[in-house]
Amino acid sequence: SGGWDKKLKFWDARQPNPALQIDLPERCYALDVRGNLMVVATAGRHIISYNVQGQPTEHSRKESPLKFQSRCIAAFPDMTGFAVGSIEGRVGIHYLQKVAGKDSFAFKCHRQDTNVFSVNQIAFHPFGTFATVGGDGVVNFWDKDNKQRLKGFPSINRTIPCASFNAQGNMFAYASSYDWSKGSSFYAQGQPNEIFLHYVAEDEIKPKGKKTGGRR
């Protein structure tokens, strides 16, 4: 867990106190763990990666490739890098390891005309493609390797703060509720908090040109 106390804590659910505590350079805004890789985004646009195999150790520390505050972060399924989303409607794709034919880049998303919305969550699919959800109430599916959007959902006209694929990748869940991006004055009492489930067809999320070897 990470918090605004600038602490990263590792827990054993059988114990009341953290098993390990690490100081962060700033307040923690988001973190993700995938296999042995942990990535942490903090205030000040710091991004720290850790090897959490055995005793956690810092792997790298760098500045976010995005110019504005980090809102979410997700490690690649193959643990070669991470995707980070900002409050300015951008996603940065960054490789921690050199991968042949692949380079780090950033792209714009979750924008409507001149309005810019935060990227609230990045969720990777087992295929290595991913979804983003944002303050515009839109869900997008993306293929980072071919740098293209695979599917865009119509806006639900309410902010979407979080989302996730199931382990099999055939179900996508996302929630709608106020994300507090405009402060307490814009909170509307009685606004519903809802959870949506979307069945994921393979052709919606598979990378372009990727063939599956299943038999019929």
Side-chain angles (χ1 to χ4, degrees):
S1 64
W4 281 32
D5 57 356
K6 305 180 184 179
K7 305 291 184 184
L8 183 63
K9 298 182 179 182
F10 297 81
W11 301 86
D12 181 339
R14 299 166 296 181
Q15 304 293 333
N17 298 313
L20 178 68
Q21 180 172 288
I22 295 175
D23 291 328
L24 294 171
E26 254 292 358
R27 292 156 291 161
C28 178
Y29 285 161
L31 64 83
D32 189 35
V33 180
R34 179 78 67 157
N36 299 327
L37 174 65
M38 171 184 278
V39 284
V40 181
T42 76
R45 297 172 52 235
H46 300 287
I47 295 180
I48 308 104
S49 65
Y50 297 89
N51 180 349
V52 293
Q53 183 177 22
Q55 183 80 0
T57 56
E58 185 173 318
H59 174 266
S60 67
R61 184 176 298 211
K62 55 186 74 246
E63 188 176 78
S64 169
L66 306 179
K67 295 180 180 180
F68 289 82
Q69 176 183 309
S70 300
R71 176 71 170 165
C72 57
I73 194 166
F76 297 166
D78 63 4
M79 299 179 287
T80 58
F82 60 85
V84 58
S86 77
I87 61 171
E88 191 240 351
R90 286 181 192 265
V91 168
I93 301 296
H94 190 85
Y95 288 90
L96 294 169
Q97 305 173 21
K98 289 186 177 180
V99 179
K102 297 180 182 180
D103 296 310
S104 301
F105 66 97
F107 65 93
K108 299 177 183 178
C109 54
H110 296 283
R111 298 176 179 219
Q112 296 177 6
D113 300 322
T114 59
N115 296 315
V116 178
F117 300 87
S118 65
V119 181
N120 288 337
Q121 183 82 58
I122 298 170
F124 275 94
H125 185 274
F127 282 157
T129 51
F130 65 97
T132 61
V133 298
D136 56 352
V138 171
V139 175
N140 290 309
F141 289 171
W142 304 93
D143 177 359
K144 66 178 177 61
D145 295 333
N146 292 296
K147 298 182 179 180
Q148 66 173 332
R149 187 171 72 165
L150 298 171
K151 180 180 177 67
F153 291 61
S155 174
I156 64 171
N157 298 314
R158 296 188 299 280
T159 56
I160 304 176
C162 56
S164 183
F165 289 99
N166 66 348
Q168 293 74 31
N170 62 355
M171 194 70 68
F172 180 71
Y174 55 102
S176 71
S177 66
Y178 183 50
D179 63 2
W180 300 98
S181 58
K182 295 182 179 181
S184 60
S185 60
F186 281 80
Y187 173 68
Q189 289 191 353
Q191 177 177 296
N193 298 315
E194 298 178 310
I195 296 174
F196 297 82
L197 295 176
H198 173 75
Y199 174 76
V200 182
E202 187 175 292
D203 60 0
E204 291 181 329
I205 196 64
K206 69 179 180 180
K208 183 179 179 181
K210 187 176 180 68
K211 297 180 179 180
T212 57
R215 295 182 178 179
R216 294 185 179 273

